[in-house]
Structure formats: structure tokens, C-alpha cells
Amino acid sequence: MVILAIGGVGRPVRALDPGEDETWVTVEQLERVLDAVTGREDVRLTFDDGNSSDVEIALPRLVERDLTAEFFPLAGRIGQRGFIDAAGLRRLVEAGMSIGSHGWEHHDWRRLDGRLARRELEAAPKLLAELSGKPVQAYAPPFGAYDRRLLSRLRRSGATRVYTTEGGLASRDGWLQPRTELRHDVDQEWIDAVLGERDGLYRRAGRFLSRVARLAQI
Ligand SMILES: [Zn+2]
């Protein structure tokens, strides 16, 4: 299956981190992607960073299409300008979405000392669980950055799933799940290339049918 990693949507209402604009998409781009994945069991959706667009833009469009997604907010930014607040987090859960942890700030989890590691890997999921009312056991390391040490630490702490960003196909029940990032230049060609299996089949079927039609005319 394909797992998409989505960042912010629409116009940012806060200053973005350097390079972060690469992962922002327009409302129209998001809608095209959501339309392409509606009804597909082989595609999963995740949203990183906990931008306020998760609740304001993505949530209603997911609900409208009967889609669910897993959200990975930053615990330390809950309630800050441009990010979801506690009420938004609960709205996501009430609408059937799941919550995982993206940490407290936006640190590379491979380079954490003791105190910082506890905040990023323990305090963050704990706060997210308290605020959302659900256990938080899935993790999406910022920047998709991980190493063996981090993975064994997450395993020991009971992580049920860890999402990365190297793209490609994911196995349905894998513990380490590669995701494909939505980037600012996503267009129909990208959608066809990444999510196009079904369209590809349709296209092949279409070619076959037109050949049959041509033969029938002879
Ligand atoms: Zn992030």
C-alpha cells in the first residue's frame, strides 16, 4: 500500500521553518489527492506537524469523503498560532481520526540527549494522549530521520508503528512504515505516478475495449 505524508495546507498563518514551504500544498492540491484516494483501501493518509489546517481545511474534506487519517502533531506547539489546539485535537479524535506523536518541538530524534530525549519521546506522546483522550503509540520522527538506536528505543517504549518518509510501497502490517511526502508541486502527473494503479488498470482496460471495438467494425 501507499502511505501519504501531508504537511500544511492552504496559506500558512505563521512563519514557516526553513524549507518547510516545500511541504505545504494548496487546498486544491489536497482535494485532488483526496479525490484520487477516496474509496481506496490501499492508500493511507497521515498529516504531520499539527498545523491548524489539519482541523480547518483537512478534517471537513476527509469527513466529506468518508476518509480517515492519522495525525502527528507537535505536542509543544499545541495551541500556538498556526497550530491546532486541544479542542482541535479532540475534534479530530471525535471524527474518527487517530493521533500519533511527532515529538515536542521539531528535532532530529537521532541526536537527543537524555533530557531532550525524554521530552521528545516520552513527554510528547503522554501530553498528546492526555489531550486527545486516546493512547498515543504511533510515531513519525521529524524529517523522517531515524537510526537503529532510535528504532530500538521506540520499540522498547511500546511504539506500535513508526512512520518514515523514504517513499515506496508499505506493507499493511509493517512496524516501520515508509511514507511518500506530498510536496508543494504535486500535480496530476504525480498523482497518476504515485497513486495511479487503478487508473492504470482503467487505461489498459480502455485500450483493450477500443481494440475490441475496432475489431468489431472490421
Ligand atoms: Zn514535521
Side-chain angles (χ1 to χ4, degrees), residues 4 6 11 20 35 40 67 99 103 122 126 132 150 169:
L4 298 179
I6 305 165
R11 281 170 73 90
E20 199 191 342
D35 287 340
R40 286 188 54 176
L67 290 166
I99 307 296
E122 292 168 28
K126 190 162 169 262
S132 67
L150 173 65
L169 293 177

Side-chain angles (χ1 to χ4, degrees), residues 58-218:
L59 179 61
R61 286 165 178 80
L62 290 166
V63 170
E64 207 172 83
R65 292 166 177 81
D66 209 14
L67 290 166
T68 55
E70 205 161 353
F71 289 78
F72 293 85
L74 291 160
R77 298 197 186 162
I78 299 282
Q80 285 182 17
R81 181 176 161 77
F83 293 95
I84 58 171
D85 56 13
L89 201 60
R90 281 192 300 275
R91 273 179 63 195
L92 291 174
V93 173
E94 280 157 17
M97 310 295 153
S98 351
I99 307 296
S101 181
H102 200 45
W104 194 271
E105 294 288 336
H106 205 267
H107 285 296
D108 184 336
W109 290 358
R110 293 170 303 180
R111 301 179 226 289
L112 299 173
D113 67 26
R115 205 165 52 91
L116 208 55
R118 280 195 298 279
R119 195 184 67 170
E120 293 298 327
L121 306 178
E122 292 168 28
K126 190 162 169 262
L127 178 65
L128 292 169
E130 276 166 23
L131 294 178
S132 67
K134 296 265 176 177
V136 168
Q137 291 169 304
Y139 294 80
F143 317 104
Y146 66 96
D147 56 16
R148 245 195 339 210
R149 188 169 143 253
L150 173 65
L151 295 185
S152 50
R153 179 164 190 159
L154 290 174
R155 225 184 245 285
R156 279 200 308 277
S157 67
T160 51
R161 193 159 273 174
V162 178
Y163 289 99
T164 64
T165 52
E166 55 269 274
L169 293 177
S171 67
R172 196 168 291 274
D173 301 314
W175 184 76
L176 193 61
Q177 296 268 15
R179 299 182 297 173
T180 304
E181 282 183 291
L182 229 64
R183 305 196 71 86
H184 69 102
D185 55 357
V186 52
D187 55 11
Q188 195 59 45
E189 204 181 323
W190 184 94
I191 292 173
D192 290 344
V194 174
L195 304 165
E197 199 187 339
R198 181 179 286 188
D199 287 330
L201 284 174
Y202 278 140
R203 271 202 301 276
R204 281 201 289 283
R207 273 203 299 277
F208 172 72
L209 290 175
S210 66
R211 203 173 332 137
V212 171
R214 269 201 313 278
L215 288 171
Q217 279 165 8
I218 295 169

